[in-house]
Amino acid sequence: MSGDRKGIVPVWTLATGDVRVPGFTAGESMTAERLAELRGVLAVLADEPIVTLEAHPLPDKIDRGRGIPLDAASPLAQHLSQFITQSTRSSLTAARSTASGESLYRMVVPAKVAAQFGQGIVRPMASKAATGGIHSALMNSTGIAANATFVPVGKAAAAGAVGGAGATVGAAAASGTALTVAAPLVLMAVAVGVSAHADHKRQQAIEHITELLEQLQEDKLDDEHSELDGCRGAIDKATAILLDQGKLGVSLGLDSAVHAIDTALSKADRRLARWLSALDGLPEGKAVELGTLTKSFPGIDDHGGTFRTHLELASLAIALKRRVVVLQAVEHAQSDPGNPFENFTRALKRDQQRLDELESSLAGLLVRLSALELAGPTGLRPVFTTGEVERLMRAAYRIHKLGDGVTVNSQTTDVAIEIARSKDGSVVVFPALPA
C-alpha cells in the first residue's frame, strides 16, 4: 500500500449473478494497467457480467449539472449506501477511503457487456478544453494521479436475496473467488449513466439546431424542433418515476412523446434514403459541380442550411429515442425481479439496433460527402470570377469538414459510469463514457 492515503483507490468486483472466477488476492495493491488486465480476464472467463467499482476522492470542482441527480431515497442511492456500509465493516481500506461520506464512484462495464447496450450508445464526448480530450468527472481528481494505487477489496459481508430488482446486495457463495452480487446496483447505475449520456447528446443537438434555425428562419423546421424538444418533460418525469421503481401512467404524456419521436425518426429515414439515392446518382470518380450537389443537399456549402438542420434534427430524435429505450428496458427488467440485468440488456439491445443502423448510415453518408471533389461551374467563360473561386473554396472546406469526428461502426470499448455521492447519501450520475 502507498503511504499517501489519497493515492489509494479501493476496487470492488461486482457480479450480476452467482458466478465463479479464478481467484485474486484481495488487498494486494495493483497499478491501473494491472487493473485493466484484471477486467479483461474477468470479462473473458466469467459467465455473468462482472464490473469493477472504484472509490475516488471527490474533486473540488465538479460540474454536477452534467449529470442526473437522485436523492438519498432513490434505489440507486440506497443500494450504493448499503454496499458501502457493508464493505467498510470488512475492509479498512474501504472504510478510510469512504470515511468523509463524499466520494466519486467509477463503475467500469466490460466491452462485451457494453456491446449489448448498442454500438452507438456511448461514444467519446469531445472536450473543448483540449484537442482529442473527453469530458469526465474524474478530470482533476487525485484519485487517478499517476501514483495512485488500486487495492482490490474482498467481498462485502452482506445478506439478502441475490439478483432481484428490489434485493439487497449479497455475496455469491461458490468455490474460487466469491464476488459481490449486486445486479440492482449495476442495473441502476448503467440505466442512469446511459440515460445521462443520451440527454447530453440531446443538449448538443438542441444547441446546434437553435443556431442553425436562427440563420435559416424556416418555420416548418422550427415546428419539428419544437415538437421534439417538447418531449423532454415527459421523458424526464418518466425517468424519475422509473428510477424510483414506480409505475408509468398515461397522464405522464410519454405515449404522445414517443409518437412524436417515432415520427421524427421516420422523417429521418426518408431523408436519408433520398440523400443516399442522390449520392449514388453522382458520377463515380468525377468532380461534382457545387450547383448539382446543393440541389439534393440544400445548404451543404453554408454554415447553416436545410441539410445540416435535418442532420441535427435526426441526431435529436435519436438521442431522445435512446432515453426512451432505456426507460422501456428498465421497466421490462423490473417486471421480472428474478433476472433484472439480463432482461435489461436483452430489451436494450433489441431496441437499439434500429437506432444504431440509422446513426451508422448517417455517419457513412457524411464520410462519403466529405470525400467528394468539387468542380467549378461550367459555361462558355474561360475564367471564374474572384467571388466564384472564393465560394468554391469555402464550400470545399465546409464539405470536407463533414467527416470530422464521424465514427462509422466504432468498436465498443469498456464503459465508465461515474457517480458523485454526497454526505447526505444523494448521488449524481454522470453521462456514461468510454473507459
Side-chain angles (χ1 to χ4, degrees), residues 317-335:
I318 290 171
L320 289 170
K321 186 64 174 180
R322 288 202 188 279
R323 284 201 70 184
V324 171
V325 167
V326 172
L327 293 178
Q328 293 169 335
V330 171
E331 186 177 31
H332 184 64
Q334 289 181 347
S335 67

Side-chain angles (χ1 to χ4, degrees), residues 118-152:
Q119 295 295 323
I121 199 165
V122 176
R123 290 207 179 118
M125 294 177 292
S127 170
K128 295 180 180 179
T131 302
I134 58 174
H135 290 292
S136 169
L138 281 174
M139 296 162 62
N140 303 328
S141 169
T142 55
I144 58 169
N147 60 351
T149 301
F150 294 84
V151 180

Side-chain angles (χ1 to χ4, degrees), residues 273-282 296-297:
R274 288 200 302 267
W275 292 335
L276 290 174
S277 177
L279 198 55
D280 290 339
L282 296 177
S296 300
F297 304 92

Side-chain angles (χ1 to χ4, degrees), residues 78-229:
Q78 288 183 335
H79 286 309
L80 183 59
S81 295
Q82 181 184 11
F83 177 79
I84 295 167
T85 300
Q86 293 161 351
S87 296
T88 54
R89 292 173 183 166
S90 57
S91 170
L92 183 59
T93 299
R96 287 175 175 173
S97 298
T98 59
S100 67
E102 293 185 327
S103 295
L104 186 66
Y105 293 88
R106 189 171 196 257
M107 181 179 291
V108 179
V109 182
K112 79 171 186 178
V113 179
Q116 299 177 55
F117 306 156
Q119 295 295 323
I121 199 165
V122 176
R123 290 207 179 118
M125 294 177 292
S127 170
K128 295 180 180 179
T131 302
I134 58 174
H135 290 292
S136 169
L138 281 174
M139 296 162 62
N140 303 328
S141 169
T142 55
I144 58 169
N147 60 351
T149 301
F150 294 84
V151 180
V153 179
K155 64 183 177 65
V162 173
T168 58
V169 291
S175 60
T177 297
L179 303 177
T180 300
V181 178
L185 176 59
V186 176
L187 167 64
M188 285 295 179
V190 169
V192 187
V194 169
S195 184
H197 178 86
D199 193 57
H200 176 82
K201 300 295 288 184
R202 179 200 65 82
Q203 293 175 27
Q204 287 182 324
I206 287 291
E207 292 173 1
H208 294 158
I209 293 170
T210 301
E211 180 182 349
L212 292 171
L213 286 177
E214 286 175 353
Q215 302 173 47
L216 195 59
Q217 296 181 343
E218 173 63 56
D219 291 339
K220 289 184 178 180
L221 293 181
D222 190 51
D223 289 342
E224 284 189 46
H225 169 221
S226 298
E227 188 171 12
L228 277 176
D229 197 29

Side-chain angles (χ1 to χ4, degrees), residues 33 38 92 95 137 167 240 424:
E33 290 76 16
L38 171 64
L92 183 59
D424 62 359

Side-chain angles (χ1 to χ4, degrees), residues 38-90:
L38 171 64
R39 291 193 188 107
V41 170
L42 292 175
V44 171
L45 298 181
D47 295 328
E48 297 287 342
I50 294 177
V51 306
T52 57
L53 182 69
E54 309 160 14
H56 295 264
L58 190 65
D60 295 333
K61 295 181 180 180
I62 187 170
D63 182 9
R64 296 175 184 268
R66 293 192 304 108
I68 293 180
L70 298 172
D71 62 34
S74 65
L76 173 58
Q78 288 183 335
H79 286 309
L80 183 59
S81 295
Q82 181 184 11
F83 177 79
I84 295 167
T85 300
Q86 293 161 351
S87 296
T88 54
R89 292 173 183 166
S90 57

